[in-house]
Amino acid sequence: MTLLSEVEERAPASVPGPPLTEAHVRGVLDVVLDPELDEPITDLGFVTSVTVTEAAVEVHLRLPTSFCSPSFAYLMASDSRDEVTALLARRDDPRALVVELDDHHDSPRINAGLAADAGYRGTFGDEAEDSLDELRMVFRRKAHTAAAERCLTGLLRLDPERAVDTLGEVRLGDLPEGHDREALVRRRAALGLPVDGDAVVLVDAEGRRPDDVPMALRRARSTRISIDGNAHFCRGLLATRYPGSEGDQAPRAEEAFVPLASLTTRPHPAKEQHR
Amino acid sequence: MYTKDGEDFYIVDAHIALWDAREENQRNIHGKQFIDCFYDYHRNLSPESEVWPYEEYLYQGGERLMKDVFTDGYADHAIFQPAYLHEFYKTGFGQSEEASALAAAHPDKLTYNHNFDPRNGERGLEQLHADAEKYGLKGVKLYTAEWHGDSRGWKLDDPWAYRYFEACRELGIKNIHVHKGPTIRPLDRDAFDVADVDHVATDFTDLNFIVEHVGLPRLEDFCWIATQEPNVYGGLAVAMPFIHTRPRYFAQIMGELLYWIGEDRILFSSDYAIWTPKWLVEAFVDFQIPSDMSEYAPITLEQKKKILGLNAAALYDLDVPQALRLPEADETATGPRDPSAADPDLVGAR
């Protein structure tokens, strides 16, 4: 059983013929993630506008501050360009494509690099020592860690009597169907980890199981808190910088932000007395 | 001093600035973008009553600072942590002369920390010696994402940086504040990646490394490093105002910090003038981990007192009234400092 096949891909593999609409373009941008926040740029409100004319498709992006990391900015802008380019190619659509990042301290450089399809090193020249692959991998690993923690914490909530140590034995197929499992499966697939039902959930990015399960979960929790917190910080800043942009943001599941409270369903008389 | 319900709190604001971001001091568009970014932090995370008009935000001056931090605020002592940013501002962002003069005029209230940039090589080393003498430095603030000619950042474990840390050791500059915060600069990798703190903390065990903004948004990396290095501390600049906008997220940050690095290594900061200390001190004294978040133990009164001032006072040898002092917690030097700060029956707490 491959759980990945159950996951509904957000971007359709092929889009039926004309006319090309803004919705098609936004649809493919749904798969572009902010690497650090692990959320689609469309949900975050980072897509300012999508314009489709007879001659061209023009996409504008914006970020919460003008000093957001240029490497992350470049990743999101170039991923956006790649996705829309692929969409046009699938449709055999000859329209020109313009992707621009606005209001960033590196906007001129990034936009020129995108227009020339210069790649990361071509865009930043001598400043770019490495490719962005390793940076992207760092955040893929973190996203995987956080996704696994959400799933295992969810299990614990369903069965508060379960011993924490046993969470190291949980398989993908043991997880209830739903958003958290799908998210985990997608992140495992991105890392090349197995996605079959027998695969162990609590593994690192190389597939290794931890010696100390409770400690591994404790660390995973701080990773998840870090990512969730960043997401709220960036969303808030975007809304401050661009009044009204909060309307472009998909509501973030409350579940994802402060789920720890739900862990407290287990009766704990000693703690009650303590308080 | 702040007093609430008969309890006295000795307050040290461990991260303040006297900046000049007015248009006449902006060197280029980046100078405007930088202060605008700060102003967005200020507007986004402050209570409405504490939001300043933009014009006032660009520059405060010494008199206003003394009022905000000491008269209206409750600080007993505050420490300047200036960012230089000479590529963005004509006379720099942090105002060295004005701030150090203010500190010299109020030695009981203010400590002036300066900065250095290892990319200045030998010349910068000489300057550091001169600055240490001129300002009587006990600490420095390092901003690894500083632009410098063609370079847009440096790392603490660069060979030249090691020569500067060796100089700090000789000069008695023992507190090294490092900005690791919301990602604003780096190009490759991530200049605010906290891994370089790990290297220098291991190689300079006689220096204290205070990671400002507790590594946010790299909280977990910071916590993990801090558990392994006894000389790594967490500064709460920029984390503090979440107490108002995201109190439950703030509770999680505090819960994690108390678990991983313990009550003796967390330092309160307003990051003035991004925020004013008054409301942050009031809110922190009143703050408690929400009772339904029982995976974290409640924050005790003693822990609050340490975080709000006693921990920084210890690093800077400040003369805290005898009656207000507290002993260090009996915590291990490495590893999670206070596992009992988490409920042992809950996930991952053991």
Side-chain angles (χ1 to χ4, degrees), chain B residues 11 14 75 91 162 197 207 235 241 243 259 293 310 322 324 338:
Chain B
I11 309 291
T91 64
Y162 268 55
V197 177
L207 301 180
I243 202 169
Y259 175 84
M293 252 188 220
L310 301 180
Q322 195 69 39
L324 300 182
D338 187 11

Side-chain angles (χ1 to χ4, degrees), chain B residues 240-251:
Chain B
M240 280 307 304
F242 284 114
I243 202 169
H244 164 66
T245 46
R246 301 276 177 197
R248 295 177 68 87
Y249 176 52
F250 182 78

Side-chain angles (χ1 to χ4, degrees), chain B residues 11-41:
Chain B
I11 309 291
V12 180
D13 194 336
H15 192 300
I16 68 164
L18 200 172
W19 68 51
D20 185 355
R22 287 174 292 189
E23 194 177 342
E24 53 267 35
N25 194 34
Q26 293 173 11
R27 194 182 286 283
N28 48 37
I29 180 67
H30 304 313
K32 173 166 172 48
Q33 288 175 333
F34 190 85
I35 191 65
D36 284 357
C37 177
F38 272 21
Y39 191 57
D40 283 352
Y41 287 5

